[in-house]
Amino acid sequence: TAVVPAPVISPAPTPTVSGTPRVGTPLTAQAGSWMPGVALGFQWYVGGSPVAGATGTSYTPQAGDLGQSVRVDVTGSRAGYPTVSRSSAGTSAVAPGVLSTATPTIKGTPAVGRTLTAKHGAWTPGTTFSYAWFADGVRIKRGTGPTLVLAKAQRGKRIKVTVTGAQSGYTGASRTSARTVAVR
């Protein structure tokens, strides 16, 4: 009698990675159409090394992944068949993320001796902020925090604040509020 060939998982396609390789932006594994009854497992790699715990169908690059390529391995298994693994091509290098930003607002009464407070709004979680206050477009030297106590020098001037957000792995961004009415 002829030798019975060993069973083979087929088809077992090469996976692809969809999405933009950028910090904070999810990448998704496209496994393709495998043989019916095959269970699929996933493992993500960054720079050729496996990422601990990254065994789902998506992976979101972190700040430490900047400049490195990402790939996914898909492993197919079925009872009675040898396990098969396929690797995707690597992505281009992971780029810095893009911060979600908001236009800041100013709370408080614009009057000498009163305190104005900058409200930065909803940015990407984990963002840290710095502040620059302006009176009629001129930078207020002591205006570097989230609050500003108005001095006599600001009387009759309109105040605005620029909020700059920063986070590791992301390109920084700045947003400026609308101006207040003239300080009284």
Side-chain angles (χ1 to χ4, degrees):
T1 61
V3 176
V4 177
V8 176
I9 292 177
S10 180
T14 299
T16 58
V17 175
S18 64
T20 302
R22 183 183 301 280
V23 172
T25 301
L27 298 173
T28 303
Q30 305 293 329
S33 298
W34 285 66
M35 177 181 177
V38 173
L40 299 179
F42 298 84
Q43 177 63 61
W44 291 88
Y45 291 76
V46 174
S49 299
V51 179
T55 57
T57 56
S58 67
Y59 174 70
T60 301
Q62 307 298 306
D65 301 339
L66 271 174
Q68 300 187 76
S69 179
V70 179
R71 79 166 207 263
V72 66
D73 282 5
V74 177
T75 301
S77 58
R78 180 176 173 179
Y81 289 76
T83 298
V84 175
S85 288
R86 296 286 185 261
S87 297
S88 72
T91 65
S92 56
V94 173
V98 177
L99 289 173
S100 297
T101 64
T103 301
T105 57
I106 296 174
K107 301 297 181 189
T109 302
V112 172
R114 302 295 291 269
T115 299
L116 298 180
T117 301
K119 301 292 187 183
H120 55 71
W123 290 52
T124 301
T127 301
T128 57
F129 300 98
S130 58
Y131 302 84
W133 293 85
F134 298 84
D136 282 352
V138 177
R139 176 88 184 256
I140 301 170
K141 290 181 182 177
R142 61 184 174 73
T144 58
T147 61
L148 175 71
V149 178
L150 294 168
K152 290 180 183 176
Q154 281 91 51
R155 189 185 304 275
K157 297 178 180 174
R158 298 175 71 183
I159 308 298
K160 68 180 179 181
V161 65
T162 296
V163 175
T164 299
Q167 186 172 160
S168 178
Y170 288 77
T171 302
S174 295
R175 297 292 180 265
T176 301
S177 71
R179 296 188 305 163
T180 66
V181 296
V183 175
R184 60 180 198 271

